Amino acid sequence: MTTLYEPAYAKLNLILDVLGKREDGYHDLKSVMQTISLRDDVEIDIGTGEGWRLLCDKDWIPCDETNLAWKAARVYFNTIKKDPDGLEIRITKRIPSEAGLGGGSADAAAVLRALNRHYDYPLSIAALAELGALVGSDVPFCVMGGTAVVEGRGERLRKLPDMPDCIFVICKPEFSASTPALFAKLDEQTIGKRPDHKAMEKAILNGDLSGVAQNLWNVFDPVVTQEHLELNYIKSIFNSYGSAGQQMTGSGSAVFCIVGEFEFAAVICQMLKENYPQVFIAKPVSI
């Protein structure tokens, strides 16, 4: 039996735009995504001689074939046409669920990376990302990590230089937002403000942290904030204690800010912890 270890990094959407509904019922998106140091840990035992099993330290996470990590393992072994002779996946969760941070996708991507390394890299990162698209929309990016433009359903990736070093503070309020309901709302209205993709890419290419922070935008943010005004309260705390820019990630409900100094991040955490237990400090990472 062999045990593999792999970190599963959360993602943030620095910008997120919904371009329209496709014929297949999905939506075309355009985003700039960033992996961050907030992570789950994934361990995989290969060759247990028993059936497949998935364990997680959080009881609300499904531990059967509906889990994206399980699906990723199944897709991988079907593709390379090997039998692991028994498999156990163990996930230690730190990334909040239903937050827009890609926790389940990160776990699936970690499984794909770990298995590919174990079998001496039969698949390129691009091919592994293509496999990830069969599992979930955010999985291809989570396979590649770093900073990237993500388009289509999430399957089209273009790597960018690493974003400037900074500190993120992420706050996950108690409520969660329904992604299908949010897409339906966007379909019924005109999107008033869209992100400036060129400005964001330019800021990243120039290593301009202020430009990155000033160009954060997510078309879901105002839709969710309209129903959950506490997001404005969280952002006001960010703003009052040194944030250079803030917004919601994904379809929510987590919001994040960018700060340049750890001292600012620590104060923001202290101000939010009383009302919001799930507050995290993270940095950008490349995989």
Side-chain angles (χ1 to χ4, degrees):
M1 187 180 77
T2 303
T3 301
L4 313 177
Y5 302 90
E6 188 73 18
Y9 294 108
K11 61 85 179 170
L12 294 175
N13 297 88
L14 302 179
I15 55 177
L16 176 56
D17 200 1
V18 178
L19 303 180
K21 196 168 185 179
R22 300 151 41 131
E23 289 184 3
D24 61 7
Y26 291 97
H27 289 75
D28 275 318
L29 308 175
K30 187 171 183 180
S31 180
V32 174
M33 292 190 188
Q34 175 66 49
T35 41
I36 61 173
S37 55
L38 174 62
R39 72 173 205 261
D40 296 343
D41 285 326
V42 176
E43 297 180 37
I44 306 170
D45 289 341
I46 297 178
T48 63
E50 301 176 8
W52 284 35
R53 192 161 78 136
L54 189 147
L55 305 171
C56 183
D57 65 337
K58 299 294 187 290
D59 56 12
W60 62 82
I61 300 296
C63 288
D64 56 16
E65 62 274 6
T66 64
N67 188 293
L68 295 186
W70 185 306
K71 289 182 179 181
R74 181 65 69 196
V75 164
Y76 186 83
F77 284 114
N78 286 346
T79 300
I80 67 168
K81 296 180 170 54
K82 286 185 182 291
D83 182 349
D85 186 28
L87 191 78
E88 180 172 292
I89 301 171
R90 295 182 296 279
I91 301 172
T92 303
K93 290 295 292 181
R94 298 183 191 89
I95 304 170
S97 299
E98 299 180 325
L101 293 164
S105 298
D107 297 339
V111 167
L112 291 174
R113 287 196 307 271
L115 293 177
N116 203 47
R117 184 177 68 248
H118 174 70
Y119 290 103
D120 200 22
Y121 303 100
L123 302 178
S124 67
I125 288 296
L128 210 59
E130 284 185 27
L131 273 194
L134 302 175
V135 180
S137 297
D138 287 335
V139 179
F141 169 73
C142 290
V143 165
M144 185 173 73
T147 314
V149 177
V150 182
E151 298 183 81
R153 278 185 57 203
E155 77 282 3
R156 301 205 318 267
L157 306 172
R158 178 163 52 87
K159 190 81 169 170
L160 294 175
D162 293 343
M163 75 167 286
D165 191 36
C166 66
I167 299 169
F168 298 106
V169 181
I170 305 107
C171 179
K172 167 65 172 76
E174 289 300 313
F175 76 88
S176 298
S178 164
T179 302
L182 286 176
F183 275 116
K185 286 182 182 177
L186 281 185
D187 290 340
E188 295 167 358
Q189 60 185 256
T190 301
I191 297 174
K193 179 183 175 182
R194 293 184 180 274
D196 188 335
H197 294 271
K198 289 183 178 178
M200 178 59 79
E201 284 196 47
K202 182 179 178 182
I204 292 170
L205 289 169
N206 292 338
D208 176 11
L209 182 61
S210 176
V212 171
Q214 290 169 15
N215 283 288
L216 298 173
W217 188 251
N218 177 351
V219 296
F220 285 122
D221 189 318
V223 181
V224 176
T225 302
Q226 189 174 15
E227 292 189 3
H228 300 278
L229 294 177
E230 67 178 299
L231 293 190
N232 282 333
Y233 168 74
I234 296 169
K235 292 173 193 171
S236 74
I237 297 295
F238 288 162
N239 249 330
S240 298
Y241 296 97
S243 166
Q246 59 276 321
Q247 74 166 24
M248 191 178 75
T249 180
S251 56
S253 58
V255 287
F256 71 93
C257 71
I258 294 176
V259 296
E261 303 290 339
F262 179 80
E263 289 76 10
F264 292 131
V267 171
I268 290 171
C269 283
Q270 185 177 359
M271 297 302 297
L272 287 171
K273 277 284 191 181
E274 186 175 336
N275 294 317
Y276 300 99
Q278 297 190 90
V279 183
F280 309 90
I281 295 176
K283 293 180 72 69
V285 296
S286 296
I287 297 175

